[in-house]
Amino acid sequence: MGPAIFFIPHQDDETLQAAVDILNHLGAGREVIVVLYTTGKGSFVQGVLNGDGTSAYWGTAHNPYLEGYESLTDDDFSTARNREFCSALGQLGVTPESIHIQPVDLEGGPVNKDTVKALMMEYVNIYGLTASYKAMSYYDTSDSHKYSGQALLELYNEGIVTDARFYIARSDWALSRPGTTYTATSAQKDKIKKAARCYEAWNPVSGAFAIGYHSIYAQFNAYLANPQNKIHKPNE
Ligand SMILES: [Zn+2]
């Protein structure tokens, strides 16, 4: 059996939307590959870290000079997010060589259904029907999330992949969505808690900016209280 390949839009979605399923696959002895498909640039958190306004999480404005770091460029910000992502995946047990940072917007290109589909095809060409393919739901209210679901649904409907699953983002859980809920075991919960810590780490002098928590700390808190993923099938 081939790998389970998770297409993840942003650094934090692998933990918030898919960690229970990642752990289930690893626990079953499956190879897991995680593909990050955007740079994660363009978040309001970059401005907050550069001293421009406040986040609900931090409460007061940052002062990069006093706190010991230079203002973050777009690339610095993306790199810092990638550190959180790789660190979190390590806590989940995904090996470094199975973490693929392949943003379709790396050179400023568009994130859309077709660019994400082209990226998926790189994996289809290697693993074909032996792999399981995972993406965000094509119902997702976030466009950059939804594109992976739309791309994967097309590949499924074209018969190019046969094993496809779609994650409901936690921010959409209050909406009417299909799917089955998977709850973490206590051992999995412990790993997920450690993965979340990678998004909470604040040590700017050494390049840790707690970007995940500045962005959506309330979602992390709600998730850690009872880690669950919600997953639906194609055309569900
Ligand atoms: Zn996201």
Side-chain angles (χ1 to χ4, degrees):
M1 189 178 280
I5 308 173
F6 292 74
F7 292 90
I8 299 296
H10 305 114
Q11 305 92 334
D12 67 18
D13 288 313
E14 80 300 332
T15 295
L16 285 167
Q17 328 297 0
V20 180
D21 205 35
I22 288 172
L23 290 168
N24 280 338
H25 281 77
L26 288 171
R30 285 290 294 280
E31 180 189 358
V32 166
I33 295 174
V34 180
V35 183
L36 179 68
Y37 68 81
T38 80
T39 56
K41 293 179 183 176
S43 161
F44 75 96
V45 176
Q46 185 182 351
V48 169
L49 292 172
N50 288 342
D52 178 18
T54 63
S55 71
Y57 170 62
W58 201 257
T60 54
H62 281 294
N63 181 327
Y65 172 70
L66 284 179
E67 295 181 79
Y69 60 98
E70 303 277 336
S71 275
L72 300 177
T73 65
D74 291 355
D75 285 342
D76 294 338
F77 182 74
S78 178
T79 299
R81 293 195 75 175
N82 287 344
R83 282 191 208 107
E84 294 181 355
F85 178 72
C86 293
S87 298
L89 283 167
Q91 294 301 327
L92 297 179
V94 177
T95 56
E97 56 272 19
S98 297
I99 303 170
H100 298 185
I101 297 179
Q102 291 201 282
V104 297
D105 59 336
L106 188 60
E107 307 294 337
V111 181
N112 60 40
K113 183 197 67 183
D114 292 330
T115 55
V116 177
K117 191 176 178 184
L119 174 62
M120 286 177 174
M121 279 306 300
E122 294 180 24
Y123 289 85
V124 169
N125 288 334
I126 297 169
Y127 298 106
L129 299 179
T130 69
S132 306
Y133 297 89
K134 323 279 190 180
M136 296 304 297
S137 174
Y138 41 85
Y139 296 115
D140 203 295
T141 46
S142 154
D143 284 342
S144 55
H145 285 198
K146 180 172 66 183
Y147 295 138
S148 61
Q150 292 174 326
L152 183 56
L153 182 64
E154 278 193 5
L155 290 172
Y156 178 84
N157 286 337
E158 290 159 3
I160 294 168
V161 308
T162 51
D163 183 348
R165 291 292 184 275
F166 303 86
Y167 297 93
I168 304 290
R170 290 193 67 80
S171 49
D172 284 357
W173 276 35
L175 306 173
S176 175
R177 295 284 188 261
T180 303
T181 301
Y182 293 83
T183 302
T185 64
S186 60
Q188 290 175 335
K189 195 171 173 178
D190 187 56
K191 289 182 180 178
I192 291 169
K193 192 169 114 188
K194 289 170 179 166
R197 282 181 185 159
C198 303
Y199 289 99
E200 194 179 13
W202 178 255
N203 192 341
V205 175
S206 49
F209 294 95
I211 295 169
Y213 269 64
H214 278 80
S215 176
I216 44 171
Y217 75 102
Q219 265 190 61
F220 273 106
N221 288 341
Y223 184 53
L224 293 179
N226 184 19
Q228 293 179 317
N229 295 160
K230 195 169 179 186
I231 308 171
H232 72 86
K233 294 177 180 172
N235 298 315
E236 204 176 355

